[in-house]
Structures are given as structure tokens and as C-alpha cells.
Amino acid sequence: MTSALISAAVALLVSVISSFAALRLQTARLRAELKTEFMAEEAIRQLLLHPNWVQRSFELIERRIGGFPADELRQLLVRAGAVRFEGAGGKEMWGLRERNLRQLQ
């Protein structure tokens, strides 16, 4: 009887430790992934806040913010507060909402 209780206690302890370690590993992985996206959003905001340009072409943003597929980059742009416009010749342009209020009305 005593050996069964000891075995159960050890199994419970090992299970709790394993679960805790898995949780910490998952949390660290998620933080790293979110940090990458957060830094990309911040870089996009800085690029779109440049005083000389109210809007930037998608091609230029794509060149400056590498490592993301086009649709994922568009999602990052929206999360950074940008909206899409159509430039000359149908060119895809992006600018921050707060800097393009006139074009949105």
C-alpha cells in the first residue's frame, strides 16, 4: 500500500514538473514570435511616419521589411495602423490613417 502511494506521488510530481517545463517552453517560443511581429509593426510605423512621405508603395515597404509573405505583410501594415490606397497606374500605396484623413473622406 505504501509503495503504491509513493509511486503515485512520484508520478504526480513528474507530471507537474513536465507540464510546467512545457508551458515555459511554449511561452518563450510565443514571446519570440510576437516580438518579431511587434518589431516589424514598429518598423512599418517608423517608415510611414517619415516627414517627407505621407504614403509609401507596397514594393518599397516589402523591400525594407523583409522576411514576410506579401499577405502577412499587409496584415502587419493594418495592425500598424495603415490603410491601402491606389496610386498612379494602379500602384498599391500605404499610409497611416492619421496622416491620410483627407483621402479617407
Side-chain angles (χ1 to χ4, degrees):
M1 176 88 163
T2 308
S3 63
L5 287 174
I6 292 173
S7 296
V10 168
L12 178 64
L13 182 63
V14 168
S15 175
V16 168
I17 291 171
S18 296
S19 296
F20 183 72
L23 178 65
R24 286 185 54 94
L25 181 63
Q26 181 95 5
T27 302
R29 191 175 317 141
L30 185 58
R31 271 197 190 129
E33 183 179 321
L34 290 177
K35 183 177 180 181
T36 300
E37 289 189 14
F38 175 74
M39 294 305 290
E41 287 175 32
E42 188 58 32
I44 288 168
R45 278 196 67 74
Q46 291 302 312
L47 189 64
L48 295 176
L49 281 170
H50 194 284
N52 294 341
W53 296 282
V54 177
Q55 296 178 1
R56 296 286 184 118
S57 71
F58 183 75
E59 292 80 23
L60 182 131
I61 296 168
E62 200 171 29
R63 280 197 311 263
R64 298 285 187 258
I65 313 295
F68 296 97
D71 284 337
E72 191 174 336
L73 182 56
R74 287 181 179 95
Q75 290 175 2
L76 288 169
L77 280 157
V78 170
R79 283 199 306 257
V83 289
R84 182 170 56 180
F85 298 94
E86 188 173 317
K91 194 172 192 178
E92 184 177 355
M93 303 294 288
W94 287 83
L96 293 175
R97 283 187 311 264
E98 62 264 22
R99 296 189 70 199
N100 289 276
L101 292 176
R102 285 193 178 142
Q103 288 88 340
L104 293 174
Q105 296 175 354

